[in-house]
Amino acid sequence: MNVLELSEQEIIRRNSLNELRAMGIEPYPAAEYVTNAFSTDIKAEFKDDEEPRKVSVAGRMMSRRVMGKASFIELQDSKGRIQVYITRDDICPDENKELYNTVFKRLLDLGDFVGIEGFVFRTQMGEISIHAKKLTVLSKSIKPLPIVKYKDGVAYDKFEDPELRYRQRYVDLAVNEEVKDIFIKRSKVFSSMREYFNSKGYMEVETPILQSIAGGAAARPFITHHNALDMPLYMRIASELYLKRLIVGGFEGVYEIGKNFRNEGMDRTHNPEFTCMEIYVAYNWMMEFTEKMIEKICLDVNGTTQVKVGDNIIDFKAPYKRVTMLDSIKEHTGYDLTGMNEEQIREVCQKLNMEIDDTMGKGKLIDEIFGEFCEGTYIQPTFITDYPKEMSPLTKIHRSNPDLTERFELMVNGKELCNAYSELNDPIDQLERFEEQMRLSEKGDDEAMIIDKDFVRALEYGMPPTSGMGIGMDRLTMLMTGQSTIQEVLFFPQMRPEKVTPKDTPAKFMELGISEDWVPVIQKAGYNLVSDMKEVNPQKLHMDICGINKKYKLELTNPTVDEVAGWIAKIEN
């Protein structure tokens, strides 16, 4: 890497790295470093009246206070932070004091990983700490971390720019303690859900992510190409159809927690790659099952059924309110859509001043009305039931109304959390609904489902009465951790490409008579394009680049002001 691309701190740290090696200390040792304790456990288990406990710990040095022959550091391991007391004579018991005087005081930096062996004690200020007897360099940090200061539990100078945090999650996790807690809770959400399913005897399975038909949901897929088979393949938009094939095959209950991919918009609640859970169980109905599961997850993760999300306190204690979709629309718009055909519903949309188009069928129009006027009003957990048939091509007809289906969605904090229904197991009805979806596709609906003939064939062999349910795990984690954006609960959310400063090639600068060695210096001075130099005063440019040459000790032969003026004169208008 060119030295001009480094900050002053990065140059100092790289020099320290080289000095360590010159002293015979490998800054990235290969040997195992054995630890026997974590910071939080040390504090929790300490007793003043017991024999001092010997410990071996490792972590990042997050702060340092040097006071001559004695120092304090704050060590951060995977569970928390603990203070370490270090004296020169303890870690350097013989005549050679370089480990303390040179390595610890000068060559180590904040962010470096060190190993500490010593014993636990309580300082005169009452803080449980480790008295170091041995210090080992484990990894040298050559890029400085942003320093977040904590006082009385309050963070100052936080690393909080969202774009930087999401792009550099490794830094975010290292310096913002509360971020790690979110992802620990995310893991608990998954564990609690698996525990609930497994306790019922249901089996976790895996189904294909690359599929020949993008089925199981109404969404735009990502498309790729299989070279060996010379055929297009789709990234999975849902695991539904494969899981139901397993019910046909004889499993009573199966579930999958995995990645789905939808080539659609990105916003505060949507990421193109997301984690979804789908479960299918024969001879079962999902509504009571779902609310008990979510109540359990909330208790396991937070120790209470109540969670604060923004300004709202949401209570996940079962049972949840039930409202039919058409009743909801009637309540929030004043229009009763019961018995209306597509044209009548289109007229209602126009009266409601909605933006619609000719590609939208009856189901899509109803969905748009509900989404715009109703969905956002449901803050507390609410089941929306009895969806119109046109909205649910994979769902069984309602037992008492042939225009509706046996389906519900759970709304929480103004968004859909889960979707469930009695699965359609009539192969003839299923094929007819697939064909209707194809007619919508021909009208221009690019989210309509494709006919999956193999799935229809599976149903022809017979599928028992089955209920299915899907939950967006990222959105569930948002609720359980009180987060308002999906990016906060994904380690590495999808981001737009990082902006790169445009730069001309060295050849363009060399056309002006500039030596290739001077091109990085000119660009370091801020003249990334030849055209950037066009209006500059030659004396200023000369002073800028000669100053950089001196500061970075590049030892290049400085050009004269006249030579610089000659470069500028050659730039074409």
Side-chain angles (χ1 to χ4, degrees):
M1 178 179 282
N2 192 310
V3 69
L4 295 176
E5 297 176 19
L6 302 175
S7 68
E8 187 174 344
Q9 264 292 313
E10 288 173 311
I11 293 171
I12 291 170
R13 287 176 179 237
R14 285 169 187 252
N15 290 337
S16 297
L17 182 80
N18 294 332
E19 280 194 59
L20 285 170
R21 286 193 166 126
M23 293 175 67
I25 299 173
E26 173 51 53
Y28 305 106
E32 178 186 12
Y33 187 85
V34 179
T35 63
N36 62 15
F38 291 104
S39 57
T40 50
D41 301 332
I42 291 171
K43 293 177 182 179
E45 297 165 8
F46 177 79
K47 294 180 180 177
D48 288 290
D49 56 355
E50 289 188 350
E51 186 75 18
R53 175 185 175 185
K54 293 182 179 179
V55 295
S56 175
V57 297
R60 282 188 191 272
M61 185 168 66
M62 300 302 288
S63 69
R64 174 174 53 187
R65 287 178 290 134
V66 177
M67 299 168 291
K69 297 178 183 179
S71 302
F72 286 97
I73 68 170
E74 188 175 38
L75 193 76
Q76 176 176 287
D77 62 18
S78 61
K79 290 192 176 182
R81 298 187 180 193
I82 192 166
Q83 180 173 266
V84 180
Y85 174 63
I86 299 173
T87 71
R88 184 192 67 181
D89 294 336
D90 277 324
I91 66 170
C92 305
D94 55 20
E95 292 300 316
N96 186 344
K97 306 298 182 183
E98 278 196 333
L99 180 61
Y100 183 83
N101 291 336
T102 304
V103 176
F104 173 73
K105 289 174 67 175
R106 187 168 63 82
L107 300 182
L108 288 185
D109 296 286
L110 300 188
D112 290 353
F113 283 87
V114 296
I116 298 291
E117 294 179 42
F119 61 87
V120 186
F121 76 111
R122 190 189 296 275
T123 67
Q124 291 181 346
M125 299 297 292
E127 184 169 354
I128 298 169
S129 308
I130 300 172
H131 187 131
K133 303 297 287 184
K134 185 177 180 181
L135 181 146
T136 305
V137 178
L138 297 179
S139 183
K140 180 74 184 151
S141 166
I142 59 173
K143 188 179 282 290
L145 288 169
I147 302 301
V148 180
K149 301 179 182 69
Y150 289 90
K151 184 177 181 180
D152 300 326
V154 179
Y156 299 90
D157 301 326
K158 292 192 71 174
F159 178 66
E160 56 187 2
D161 178 86
E163 180 158 341
L164 272 178
R165 288 181 51 238
Y166 303 152
R167 286 192 190 281
Q168 300 179 28
R169 182 68 86 186
Y170 37 88
V171 177
D172 189 29
L173 289 164
V175 302
N176 291 327
E177 296 175 359
E178 68 280 4
V179 173
K180 185 178 286 186
D181 292 337
I182 292 171
F183 291 99
I184 290 171
K185 285 188 174 183
R186 178 185 173 103
S187 179
K188 288 180 179 179
V189 168
F190 283 57
S191 297
S192 178
M193 181 177 285
R194 283 189 167 101
E195 183 183 81
Y196 184 72
F197 292 156
N198 294 342
S199 71
K200 303 291 184 183
Y202 305 145
M203 187 172 76
E204 185 170 10
V205 299
E206 295 174 288
T207 62
I209 289 176
L210 287 175
Q211 303 182 354
S212 57
I213 294 174
R220 287 194 199 97
F222 285 94
I223 305 173
T224 186
H225 187 82
H226 193 299
N227 290 335
L229 297 177
D230 191 23
M231 62 180 286
L233 288 174
Y234 302 90
M235 300 290 283
R236 178 171 69 193
I237 58 174
S239 53
E240 175 171 346
L241 301 186
Y242 280 99
L243 292 172
K244 288 197 283 194
R245 286 174 170 94
L246 297 180
I247 299 296
V248 171
F251 289 102
E252 186 162 318
V254 292
Y255 71 95
E256 181 171 15
I257 300 175
K259 293 291 188 184
N260 289 346
F261 307 83
R262 297 185 182 178
N263 197 356
E264 299 172 343
M266 292 166 51
D267 57 30
R268 293 167 63 86
T269 58
H270 293 88
N271 195 66
E273 173 187 346
F274 61 98
T275 305
C276 188
M277 185 289 303
E278 291 196 43
I279 182 169
Y280 295 86
V281 182
Y283 320 112
N284 186 30
W285 177 231
M286 285 284 174
M287 203 174 294
E288 185 177 342
F289 177 88
T290 300
E291 59 192 0
K292 286 183 177 178
M293 176 191 71
I294 293 176
E295 179 182 2
K296 173 194 182 301
I297 290 171
C298 195
L299 283 168
D300 288 347
V301 173
N302 295 307
T304 174
T305 60
Q306 294 188 339
V307 180
K308 189 174 191 299
V309 183
D311 295 330
N312 300 316
I313 301 293
I314 298 174
D315 194 341
F316 288 99
K317 183 164 182 60
Y320 304 153
K321 182 181 177 181
R322 275 86 161 146
V323 182
T324 71
M325 172 166 272
L326 295 184
D327 282 348
S328 176
I329 291 174
K330 183 178 179 181
E331 177 187 350
H332 291 95
T333 69
Y335 290 96
D336 186 353
L337 305 187
T338 305
M340 286 190 183
N341 59 31
E342 180 179 324
E343 195 54 43
Q344 291 171 317
I345 295 173
R346 194 174 293 277
E347 290 175 6
V348 169
C349 290
Q350 290 167 350
K351 291 175 182 176
L352 293 171
N353 297 315
M354 294 176 59
E355 292 185 10
I356 58 173
D357 58 57
D358 293 340
T359 67
M360 296 179 178
K362 180 178 177 181
K364 185 82 168 176
L365 293 170
I366 295 172
D367 191 29
E368 290 292 314
I369 294 172
F370 180 81
E372 186 164 336
F373 295 97
C374 310
E375 184 173 325
T377 67
Y378 295 105
I379 303 302
Q380 298 303 320
T382 304
F383 287 118
I384 304 298
T385 66
D386 298 351
Y387 278 56
K389 179 174 69 173
E390 292 81 4
M391 293 179 64
S392 313
L394 300 170
T395 312
K396 187 172 286 188
I397 293 294
H398 195 281
R399 64 196 74 182
S400 59
N401 187 337
D403 293 329
L404 303 176
T405 57
E406 302 249 343
R407 174 185 177 186
F408 72 78
E409 287 187 335
L410 178 60
M411 300 293 165
V412 185
N413 202 38
K415 292 287 183 182
E416 171 206 336
L417 175 60
C418 80
N419 183 17
Y421 38 81
S422 295
E423 303 298 330
L424 180 59
N425 59 349
D426 179 340
I428 297 171
D429 188 0
Q430 179 65 83
L431 180 59
E432 289 173 353
R433 296 209 213 171
F434 273 145
E435 289 169 343
E436 174 59 28
Q437 286 286 301
M438 289 304 294
R439 282 190 283 273
L440 291 173
S441 176
E442 289 163 4
K443 286 174 63 176
D445 186 346
D446 57 4
E447 293 185 354
M449 292 188 193
I450 302 170
I451 295 178
D452 188 333
K453 293 181 180 178
D454 179 70
F455 176 66
V456 174
R457 178 169 57 195
L459 291 185
E460 289 174 343
Y461 284 101
M463 184 175 82
T466 300
S467 291
M469 185 246 298
I471 290 183
M473 298 300 291
D474 307 317
R475 198 169 287 177
L476 177 60
T477 304
M478 287 171 62
L479 290 167
M480 294 298 158
T481 57
Q483 300 302 311
S484 59
T485 66
I486 194 171
Q487 289 81 11
E488 292 292 349
V489 300
L490 301 176
F491 273 127
F492 304 104
Q494 187 66 47
M495 304 288 288
R496 297 184 187 279
E498 201 165 350
K499 290 181 180 178
V500 178
T501 303
K503 293 184 178 183
D504 278 339
T505 62
K508 288 196 173 184
F509 286 90
M510 292 166 67
E511 289 173 4
L512 307 178
I514 300 172
S515 165
E516 186 173 4
D517 290 339
W518 277 99
V519 174
V521 181
I522 292 169
Q523 292 182 327
K524 177 70 174 179
Y527 307 97
N528 292 303
L529 306 173
V530 167
S531 58
D532 294 339
M533 300 165 53
K534 185 176 177 183
E535 304 294 335
V536 72
N537 183 298
Q539 287 186 326
K540 181 183 184 309
L541 178 56
H542 179 266
M543 185 171 62
D544 289 344
I545 63 176
C546 292
I548 291 171
N549 185 27
K550 180 180 180 180
K551 178 180 178 180
Y552 287 90
K553 300 176 183 177
L554 301 178
E555 299 183 355
L556 299 175
T557 303
N558 287 334
T560 65
V561 175
D562 289 341
E563 285 176 316
V564 173
W567 300 342
I568 296 171
K570 291 179 184 177
I571 300 174
E572 296 179 0
N573 293 327

